[in-house]
Amino acid sequence: MEFSKLIEVRQSCRKFSAEKVENEDILACLEAFRLSPSACNAQPYHISVCTGEKAAAVSECVNSMGMNPFAKNVPCFFVIREDSYSAAAALGGLIKGQDYRSIDIGIAAAHLVLCAADRGLNTCILGWFDEKKLKKLLGTSDRIRLVIALGRAAEGYPIRPKVRKSIKQISDFDNGK
Ligand SMILES: Cc1cc2nc3c(=O)[nH]c(=O)nc-3n(C[C@H](O)[C@H](O)[C@H](O)COP(=O)(O)O)c2cc1C
């Protein structure tokens, strides 16, 4: 797909069909995630693929306080947690007062959702979830930073126009003047 089209059709889906996702699509998403850049190439993350009964359990965790009810139908979730930093990235982050791990995870998530959109799939990045419950489910003590729902939108689900600030509002680009 043309990149300009891809970034237009990629949107947060909040009405999924129960249709399963092919392993091939999941693998392609993981590959896009894997090839993303990260500070010092540290790749400080782990991504769990949850389908079937595990997906049902994840959907309960992300619908904490009823905030993501559409997650019920989702056939596949990616749960992204932090992994250890490399020494170089940890030192760089310390010196510069930055935590590059969340930045790296955000960039990798963007790769994943665009890959999914390119394959005609739909996603929703989820930052609202019961982390304690998710950690227990996955048997980890690592911080969980993001969950991504993956599936196919329900029939007739529309592509919404993007609601965004203008370039002027978010940048200081003066168009070459
Ligand atoms: C870090 C992050 C956390 C988000 N958490 C949620 C969430 O918990 N539930 C939800 O429905 N959407 C969530 N979203 C989706 C945003 O609401 C959405 O990206 C934004 O409104 C722009 O809409 P669009 O993705 O359709 O272009 C999240 C997005 C990001 C990047």
Side-chain angles (χ1 to χ4, degrees):
M1 203 185 295
E2 278 278 319
F3 189 71
S4 54
K5 180 85 188 153
L6 185 61
I7 57 176
E8 199 186 303
V9 301
R10 196 285 322 146
Q11 65 177 2
S12 297
C13 176
R14 298 193 180 90
K15 195 172 182 190
F16 285 88
S17 77
E19 199 183 329
K20 276 191 183 161
V21 182
E22 300 295 328
N23 278 350
E24 198 184 319
D25 288 320
I26 294 174
L27 267 177
C29 289
L30 292 176
E31 183 66 352
F33 186 91
R34 188 179 79 86
L35 293 184
S36 66
S38 60
C40 299
N41 204 16
Q43 304 156 72
Y45 32 64
H46 176 89
I47 182 163
S48 295
V49 180
C50 303
T51 57
E53 279 178 18
K54 212 151 204 187
V58 172
S59 79
E60 281 180 25
C61 298
V62 299
N63 194 25
S64 144
M65 296 165 74
M67 289 295 276
N68 288 312
F70 61 89
K72 223 175 190 171
N73 246 356
V74 172
C76 179
F77 287 97
F78 295 107
V79 181
I80 306 166
R81 61 189 202 237
E82 275 185 10
D83 204 351
S84 46
Y85 248 167
S86 66
L91 185 62
L94 192 68
I95 293 169
K96 290 293 159 200
Q98 295 273 6
D99 187 337
Y100 296 118
R101 284 172 292 192
S102 285
I103 298 173
D104 294 339
I105 285 172
I107 293 168
H111 276 61
L112 189 156
V113 295
L114 287 172
C115 172
D118 192 41
R119 300 175 74 87
L121 293 163
N122 298 86
T123 55
C124 190
I125 298 175
L126 303 168
W128 181 274
F129 48 80
D130 185 329
E131 188 179 4
K132 209 167 149 193
K133 248 169 116 176
L134 259 184
K135 280 180 169 175
K136 195 167 172 211
L137 181 71
L138 298 179
T140 182
S141 57
D142 292 340
R143 288 302 310 264
I144 294 172
R145 293 298 184 192
L146 281 182
V147 176
I148 302 177
L150 174 75
R152 289 185 194 282
E155 216 177 299
Y157 191 73
I159 303 285
R160 303 179 297 269
K162 299 269 184 281
V163 179
R164 296 291 190 268
K165 292 178 183 172
S166 67
I167 288 181
K168 199 170 171 141
Q169 285 173 300
I170 61 155
S171 84
D172 53 19
F173 184 56
D174 62 1
N175 210 9
K177 282 176 216 142

